[in-house]
Amino acid sequence: MKESAPQSNEALLVVLDGGAFLGAVQPGLVSYLEEHKVNVGAYAGISIGSWMSTLVCNGKSQEELREFMLKHFLRSVTRALIPPWRDPLRMLAGGLFDHLPLTQQLVKELDLKPQPNLRIVSFDLLSMKPFVFQGTDYPLDVALAASCSPYPVLRPVRYVDEDGKQRMLVDACAYLLHKRIFNEPTLIARMFPIKFRKSEVDETEVMVGYPFGKIVRRVTPAEYDKYRLYGYKRAAATLKPLLNEGKLPLRDKSV
């Protein structure tokens, strides 16, 4: 896989891909970036990557990221099931699962807020285009639920944007396999070796997905630690040469 480095000192946008419980590799990448003082201007996330990006931008520690994957993320998945015999009309909206109620509870419990350096990516079924939540004036629970709702298994999330336009939002992973959304120096942490376009000159890709790892089944503490270490090592393998060549922006040493 050909990898290219940003050609300016502009801070990186780090995009964390989706992959359910394989998201346990992403704290390893985040840890590597922090330890080596890579200048990250913002995080963008899709699916589990949206949760990880939200936690990082809200200043959560590595231990809190671990707790989320081992405790809270499992709960958000397993408790979202709505039996069809209790509400069969829900099936017409796209599936058995509805993430929003539990997402609302988790956002409140973990005291999470929209942040200026956070972007959450979803896909609008009505316009057939990506829809990005950014800034500080949007419902974080809606954004996270939308980004974690792969269609048609999970129910789309309805949202009226600031222009009064109706949106029907779902997970954007499939779209991002072959389209570019952001037009700035970008570090993309991919979970799967599937894509349909070449990297551009201001993009660097890190393949962090753990081979043969669990996607929909919970990970044990030992597995989490193994996945996280794998993400760290994959980040080091890709980014260390670029750091040595001065091709990645670094934070001001005084910061």
Side-chain angles (χ1 to χ4, degrees), residues 6 11 27 30 35 65 83 118 123-124 141 153-155 207 221 223 225:
V30 171
E35 286 181 15
L65 298 183
L118 171 64
F123 185 77
D124 182 14
D141 50 7
V153 178
L154 273 69
R155 184 185 183 195
M207 187 62 62
E223 287 170 330
D225 295 337

Side-chain angles (χ1 to χ4, degrees), residues 13 15 23 39 42 55 84 92 108 116 119 146 182 186 194 196 254-255:
L13 169 66
V15 180
N39 189 9
L55 293 167
L92 300 178
K108 182 178 181 179
R119 305 180 193 177
F182 303 107
T186 302
I194 305 172
F196 300 105
S254 64
V255 177

Side-chain angles (χ1 to χ4, degrees), residues 150-162:
Y151 185 79
V153 178
L154 273 69
R155 184 185 183 195
V157 176
R158 293 183 180 272
Y159 177 64
V160 179
D161 67 20
E162 59 184 9

